[in-house]
Amino acid sequence: MQTYEDKAALIEEIRKRHLMYDEEFNDINEENKDLFMAGIDKTPSQNISYQLGWIHLLLQWEADEQKGIDVKTPTPEYKWNNLGGLYQSFYHEYGFYSLQQQKELLRGKVDEIVNWIESLDDDILFVPGQRKWATTPAQWPVWKWIHINTVAPFKNFRIQLRKWKKEKGTE
């Protein structure tokens, strides 16, 4: 897995990968946002809804812990063995927006993530065990949770969008 020497490097990678991901939606017509393609598990709208959902959860975990709330990950309603149900909740929550609106919402969430990262000191970001919600048997530091919910899917889902567009004949 990719690592970062400091928070500036993490922020730079998030911004870079988000921009590349965001640009993939520019030539997807609104009427095709919910179109499934063989071999691709998400529609374009589901793809971006997934991103919106996970980034929202990450920010919510942090906000709740700062308020003294006992955080249940991924959510009180969904356990790690029912992520399919969680994803469906993301599609339901964000899927009625247009792609343009979803893109704007995601830009806002990325800005929130960046502002949050900028507010953290290096120990909280890079030393395991600094947040209860991030303390798992794997002992991941906070940056790793941020990476797997921003940079990694921006890369992987960009590939899915490119494949979707190729199947659709728009690339």
Side-chain angles (χ1 to χ4, degrees):
M1 177 184 290
Q2 182 173 347
T3 60
Y4 303 94
E5 65 182 53
D6 57 27
K7 71 170 102 176
L10 175 59
I11 289 169
E12 180 181 338
E13 191 69 7
I14 290 168
R15 292 263 189 225
K16 173 184 162 188
R17 295 301 174 173
H18 170 252
L19 181 61
M20 294 170 73
Y21 174 77
D22 182 77
E23 289 174 349
E24 292 300 333
F25 290 95
N26 290 344
D27 55 354
I28 298 175
N29 294 325
E30 185 63 32
E31 63 269 10
N32 294 323
K33 78 178 188 102
D34 297 313
L35 184 64
F36 279 100
M37 289 290 166
I40 301 150
D41 67 341
K42 291 176 183 55
T43 69
S45 178
Q46 289 175 333
N47 189 302
I48 198 167
S49 293
Y50 178 100
Q51 283 299 112
L52 284 162
W54 274 113
I55 292 174
H56 172 80
L57 277 182
L58 188 60
L59 292 165
Q60 189 66 55
W61 296 339
E62 177 68 8
D64 286 351
E65 184 164 324
Q66 294 309 304
K67 293 175 193 168
I69 297 170
D70 185 30
V71 177
K72 303 273 191 262
T73 60
T75 73
E77 299 82 22
Y78 298 99
K79 301 204 180 314
W80 290 107
N81 64 355
N82 185 19
L83 292 179
L86 179 62
Y87 303 159
Q88 290 300 318
S89 76
F90 295 161
Y91 307 154
H92 178 75
E93 184 170 351
Y94 300 106
F96 68 90
Y97 290 108
S98 70
L99 281 179
Q100 187 60 40
Q101 289 169 320
Q102 287 176 304
K103 286 176 57 170
E104 290 169 17
L105 288 168
L106 188 57
R107 273 192 286 278
K109 289 293 181 195
V110 168
D111 288 343
E112 283 183 61
I113 281 273
V114 166
N115 290 337
W116 171 49
I117 293 167
E118 288 173 338
S119 77
L120 298 176
D121 67 39
D122 286 345
D123 282 351
I124 291 172
L125 197 55
F126 293 103
V127 176
Q130 301 299 304
R131 291 292 192 261
K132 289 179 188 174
W133 61 259
T135 303
T136 65
Q139 288 296 303
W140 284 2
V142 169
W143 77 263
K144 201 170 210 177
W145 285 92
I146 295 169
H147 172 87
I148 66 165
N149 287 293
T150 59
V151 174
F154 287 154
K155 288 180 183 179
N156 294 333
F157 287 175
R158 180 173 179 247
I159 293 166
Q160 286 185 21
L161 288 169
R162 293 177 73 81
K163 184 177 177 186
W164 183 94
K165 290 190 296 187
K166 185 175 182 179
E167 290 293 318
K168 176 78 174 78
T170 58
E171 184 171 272

